[in-house]
Amino acid sequence: MDSQSLYFSLELVAGSGNTLNIEQRAALQTSLVILQKNYKFQRVLLWGKVLGLKADYFIAQGRGEDEMKDRKNLYSLNCVDWFLLPPATAPLIDQVSSAAKGRFTGDPSHVYEHRDIHRRGDGDEEEEVVTKVNEEIRLAVTVHHIEEEVSVVPRGAFVKSPHGLVQINRSFCGLTYSESGKLNSFLHFSEPKNLKKKSLLETSQLNPAIDFLDVLSDDVPKGSWSLQFECGSKVCVLRSLLWLGLTFYHVPMTPQHGYIYIGDGAKNLDLAFML
């Protein structure tokens, strides 16, 4: 959700019941501008808010020249002071998946511990392995997972150059009302996975400049997205049922779109049994 249209965008996604109060909006309106200048980002987005037991984490995302590769995530507890989140590497993801359980506490220095017993060779010797990870790392991994699985953009909003550079499509005027009602008009803003599995016949009908991402209609399980028209059918709103709290909006016939996550950072693993 672009920081320059924060007030307007928050009103469009408030139908879920999750929003920010006046104090938080006022603080973000100022601090995100300073953040963009200090880190020399081309633009800054309010990514969302992860709810904790003692405090909440506000997440901002700064983007550089390449909208997909030049991304950095930052967090704040008071909407004023921002701290960089470390990149989510494969070893960190493994540590978080084994050690971190339960709700976020709201304390970045909180340490999660997991003890596991391994047997050595064929003998009866046992070795206890302790995995420790702090909540800041867990927050970085959670943001990474949500970005990979449920970040959404309309088809045509971003364009890929022959050199592989992904940038905002300045000629994008928005989807039509009929296109906005179809899941295949929306794409995952992450590295494509299903695109490489398509046949030559399917890929021949795609435009490589704008169809370089996975479409939402290919998601498994089917039915993991809720698509509705709100505000007098003037706004298309998508909600993820896999990561509850992720809300995307798009105003048809205009380039205005964005998404925000406001939730507890827990994945809905029971979704396949609920559909």
Side-chain angles (χ1 to χ4, degrees), residues 18-251:
N18 295 324
T19 186
L20 305 179
N21 60 37
I22 299 296
E23 182 182 354
Q24 292 167 348
R25 294 187 192 190
L28 288 168
Q29 197 77 20
T30 305
S31 67
L32 292 180
V33 175
I34 299 172
L35 179 69
Q36 181 176 353
K37 181 180 179 181
N38 290 344
Y39 284 88
K40 296 180 173 58
F41 293 132
Q42 291 205 352
R43 67 188 188 117
V44 172
L45 289 77
L46 175 64
W47 187 89
K49 180 172 74 169
V50 178
L51 307 176
L53 297 174
K54 298 177 183 178
D56 301 330
Y57 296 103
F58 296 87
I59 312 296
Q61 186 176 87
R63 295 186 179 177
E65 187 179 6
D66 192 311
E67 290 279 332
M68 284 196 69
K69 296 178 181 177
D70 299 339
R71 289 192 278 187
K72 290 184 179 180
N73 298 317
L74 304 96
Y75 75 94
S76 172
L77 296 170
N78 56 6
C79 300
V80 176
D81 303 313
W82 294 93
F83 307 95
L84 269 174
L85 281 173
T89 59
L92 291 182
I93 293 174
D94 292 339
Q95 289 177 15
V96 170
S97 63
S98 61
K101 306 292 181 185
R103 290 280 305 274
F104 281 86
T105 63
D107 179 11
S109 60
H110 177 77
V111 177
Y112 298 91
E113 286 189 12
H114 176 71
R115 299 178 184 275
D116 201 4
I117 297 176
H118 294 277
R119 293 185 180 274
R120 286 185 176 180
D122 298 330
D124 296 331
E125 295 185 15
E126 294 182 347
E127 180 184 8
E128 186 179 48
V129 178
V130 181
T131 305
K132 294 184 179 181
V133 62
N134 62 28
E135 190 158 280
E136 186 181 58
I137 301 296
R138 183 190 179 188
L139 183 65
V141 170
T142 301
V143 171
H144 169 76
H145 282 316
I146 297 174
E147 278 279 291
E148 285 288 308
E149 297 178 19
V150 290
S151 58
V152 187
V153 294
R155 180 178 180 268
F158 292 87
V159 63
K160 187 174 185 179
S161 71
H163 303 290
L165 194 67
V166 178
Q167 293 181 314
I168 296 174
N169 186 2
R170 302 297 177 184
S171 61
F172 176 67
C173 298
L175 303 173
T176 64
Y177 282 92
S178 59
E179 289 174 336
S180 300
K182 301 175 183 176
L183 274 182
N184 56 12
S185 298
F186 300 97
L187 311 171
H188 285 286
F189 197 59
S190 57
E191 288 297 326
K193 296 169 185 166
N194 299 328
L195 197 62
K196 300 174 183 177
K197 302 176 184 177
K198 291 184 179 291
S199 64
L200 288 175
L201 182 62
E202 292 174 313
T203 54
S204 64
Q205 300 174 356
L206 302 177
N207 183 345
I210 59 176
D211 294 319
F212 58 94
L213 301 170
D214 291 332
V215 295
L216 264 59
S217 55
D218 291 342
D219 283 8
V220 178
K222 298 290 183 182
S224 60
W225 291 95
S226 167
L227 191 153
Q228 297 171 325
F229 282 91
E230 297 183 357
C231 301
S233 298
K234 294 182 179 179
V235 183
C236 173
V237 178
L238 273 167
R239 294 184 178 90
S240 173
L241 304 180
L242 185 63
W243 289 93
L244 298 172
L246 190 286
T247 308
F248 165 86
Y249 81 92
H250 173 56
V251 182

Side-chain angles (χ1 to χ4, degrees), residues 254-272:
T254 72
Q256 297 165 356
H257 67 89
Y259 65 88
I260 189 170
Y261 177 81
I262 302 179
D264 58 5
K267 188 175 182 179
N268 184 14
L269 298 175
D270 297 328
L271 177 62

